[in-house]
Amino acid sequence: MSGHKALVLDEVRKYHLEQQDSRDFVPGTTEIWPSGAVLDEDDRVALVEAALEMRIAAGASSRKFESRFARKLKRRKAHLTNSGSSANLLAVTALTSHLLDDRRLRPGDEVITVAAGFPTTVNPILQNGLIPVFVDVDLRTYNTTARRVEQAIGPKTRAIIIAHALGNPFEVAEIAQLAEQHDLFLIEDNCDAVGATYQGQLTGSFGDLATVSFYPAHHLTMGEGGCVLTSNLALARIVESLRDWGRDCWCEPGESNKCLKRFKYQMGTLPDGYDHKYIFSHVGYNLKATDLQAALGLTQLAKLDGFVEARKRNWRRLRDGLEGVPHLVLPEATAGSDPSWFGFVITVDPQAPFSRAALVAFLEDRKIGTRRLFAGNLTRHPAYIDQPHRVVGTLTNSDVITEQTFWIGVYPGLTDEMLDYVIASVKEFVGDNV
């Protein structure tokens, strides 16, 4: 490192320390966010260093992050994307590739998912001309079950895509077994659950493909960003092609003739020897991330274990503190799981003498941030009412979630003092309204 660069980075560290908010927590005045990024001086320095080196496209940091993140999640390949939503789009679209021959998904094929989730788990199904099959979830875990998924499998079913709800694993081992028995693809939307385990195995390592988000609310952040992971090298190659304009060549941008046969390919009806860097085998996109994002991701990755433990600790403090409060349905971990919590979910009993809206308004007035459990029942939203879909069973619990459920934060930026204030506020409201 040059002396000038070292001096700049040293000043960046000093600047970071100067920007720290040293004000004490003031109940009812200080914002208690439901989610947020936890960034330290190493993160700021990493971003500035990448900028100083003008690493404005995907490069060495991106490749390094992909390699380290794949190892962390026990997968062979990871491909960075510009968002978790793009990761889901790539994962589902990869299953439609002609390279999968008879296993490829085609328009009209069905994909099982849950109604109570985030839209971008479901959107790629519709965007690829596939039919979502919606099943309900359980209250308390907010996940569906293997039994519900099995009941939804029909003659047109070809795949399953489910998110681990707010960091709480679904019955992924059993559902993976169902997928294998029925020759179905399984995609794990692991955006909320990095670091969680089910039956001792990391979530994101069961399915054919898994996706992750690096939006600031998530366990790791790059500002924006996402990732598709797999141990199937054929699927990895398809994901890479779709992410990189749909091109057939696997050389990194700026590389030439790494395969030593760049001008020796003949594909489609192109002339023999057409430049392989400009042969396109998929109708793809440009969904890459940048090295600035990856540089931040690398410093964040080094802190992942600590982040996960903080989330677990904060969730447990809320769970213990709210135990026994009447008229509230408190969350529970799926049996056999060790969640990496994204948030703390509360459902107000429909028979309670107060409403969810009233409790949420009370908390928000005290600067305690709340969020809905994403879309609630997706089939009730204007975007999806007229979209082709199938429902198996009732969506009773998804409707309860739509009406009665919200969540509060557990992210590592929250202190014990903040969490205790949240607990005291909930208890005060309920005590005053029963």
Side-chain angles (χ1 to χ4, degrees):
M1 183 187 300
S2 72
H4 195 183
K5 178 180 173 183
L7 179 62
V8 169
L9 297 182
D10 184 57
E11 289 298 317
V12 169
R13 291 185 184 278
K14 293 176 182 177
Y15 175 81
H16 180 87
L17 295 174
E18 290 173 358
Q19 301 307 305
Q20 298 309 293
D21 187 350
S22 60
R23 292 175 296 178
D24 293 334
F25 170 66
V26 180
T29 299
T30 305
E31 297 273 2
I32 301 177
W33 293 100
S35 62
V38 177
L39 302 165
D40 63 16
E41 60 187 279
D42 291 334
D43 298 314
R44 194 184 293 268
V45 167
L47 278 172
V48 172
E49 184 175 15
L52 288 174
E53 296 180 1
M54 299 296 283
R55 301 204 307 267
I56 59 175
S61 290
S62 298
R63 303 293 84 76
K64 184 183 294 184
F65 180 88
E66 288 173 334
S67 176
R68 291 183 181 178
F69 195 59
R71 287 201 304 272
K72 187 70 174 177
L73 268 64
K74 311 298 183 185
R75 309 254 64 179
R76 295 181 68 183
K77 288 287 186 178
H79 287 95
L80 272 177
T81 69
N82 60 356
S83 72
S85 302
S86 293
N88 280 342
L89 176 61
L90 288 170
V92 174
T93 306
L95 302 184
T96 70
S97 171
H98 62 281
L99 298 179
L100 298 178
D101 299 324
D102 291 341
R103 289 205 71 199
R104 69 183 293 194
L105 273 58
R106 299 176 183 274
D109 287 343
E110 293 183 345
V111 181
I112 297 170
T113 189
V114 301
F118 199 75
T120 56
T121 307
V122 175
N123 292 351
I125 301 172
L126 295 166
Q127 289 160 343
N128 278 283
L130 308 167
I131 310 298
V133 177
F134 292 109
V135 296
D136 207 2
V137 300
D138 282 345
L139 296 177
R140 294 189 184 272
T141 68
Y142 301 94
N143 281 303
T144 194
T145 60
R147 179 183 59 81
R148 288 190 180 96
V149 171
E150 185 171 25
Q151 291 173 345
I153 296 173
K156 293 184 178 180
T157 306
R158 301 297 308 282
I160 303 164
I161 176 169
I162 303 174
H164 298 285
L166 287 179
N168 193 18
F170 61 84
E171 295 174 347
V172 63
E174 294 85 347
I175 291 174
Q177 186 175 24
L178 281 174
E180 183 176 2
Q181 290 171 354
H182 293 273
D183 194 28
L184 309 176
F185 289 107
L186 172 62
I187 299 173
E188 292 178 74
D189 183 331
N190 201 40
C191 292
D192 290 352
V194 172
T197 62
Y198 185 75
Q199 297 182 1
Q201 182 176 334
L202 283 168
T203 57
S205 66
F206 289 85
D208 297 284
L209 294 152
T211 59
V212 171
S213 172
F214 302 123
Y215 188 72
H218 290 285
H219 291 58
L220 302 176
T221 187
M222 296 183 182
E224 297 284 356
C227 197
V228 184
L229 300 106
T230 184
S231 290
N232 183 315
L233 297 184
L235 286 176
R237 180 70 195 95
I238 294 167
V239 167
E240 182 178 43
S241 174
L242 287 165
R243 183 196 65 177
D244 298 1
W245 305 284
R247 66 180 189 153
D248 196 75
C249 180
W250 54 86
C251 288
E252 298 292 341
E255 289 183 346
S256 296
N257 207 23
K258 189 174 182 179
C259 61
L260 302 180
K261 49 187 293 187
R262 175 180 167 188
F263 300 106
K264 296 180 181 178
Y265 284 92
Q266 196 288 312
M267 301 181 72
T269 60
L270 293 167
D272 188 47
Y274 197 85
D275 190 343
H276 192 224
K277 289 176 72 68
Y278 292 95
I279 295 177
F280 299 90
S281 52
H282 291 94
V283 179
Y285 311 90
N286 178 7
L287 300 177
K288 298 188 298 299
T290 70
D291 252 26
L292 273 77
Q293 292 168 278
L296 176 56
L298 284 167
T299 54
Q300 286 273 294
L301 183 57
K303 298 184 278 281
L304 175 60
D305 292 344
F307 287 163
V308 171
E309 288 307 311
R311 287 174 173 274
K312 292 179 180 180
R313 184 171 60 251
N314 291 345
W315 186 92
R316 176 48 58 189
R317 193 176 190 91
L318 288 171
R319 188 64 172 76
D320 291 344
L322 293 173
E323 180 66 37
V325 177
H327 306 297
L328 300 183
V329 179
L330 299 183
E332 294 179 357
T334 303
S337 76
D338 183 9
S340 178
W341 296 103
F342 182 76
F344 187 91
V345 198
I346 297 173
T347 295
V348 176
D349 190 308
Q351 304 305 314
F354 54 85
S355 68
R356 175 205 54 78
L359 174 54
V360 165
F362 181 83
L363 296 176
E364 293 280 350
D365 187 59
R366 292 190 164 205
K367 306 300 183 183
I368 298 169
T370 67
R371 295 291 185 268
R372 301 306 295 267
L373 185 47
F374 307 132
N377 184 347
L378 271 169
T379 68
R380 296 173 60 177
H381 286 256
Y384 303 95
I385 288 174
D386 295 326
Q387 294 288 348
H389 67 274
R390 185 163 67 90
V391 175
V392 175
T394 68
L395 299 179
T396 303
N397 290 338
S398 298
D399 284 332
V400 171
I401 289 167
T402 305
E403 305 290 343
Q404 303 295 126
T405 300
F406 68 99
W407 59 270
I408 52 181
V410 299
Y411 81 103
L414 301 179
T415 64
D416 289 348
E417 190 178 10
M418 291 175 175
L419 296 169
D420 290 343
Y421 178 65
V422 172
I423 293 166
S425 297
V426 172
K427 286 182 173 179
E428 179 180 337
F429 173 86
V430 174
D432 289 345
N433 289 276
V434 295

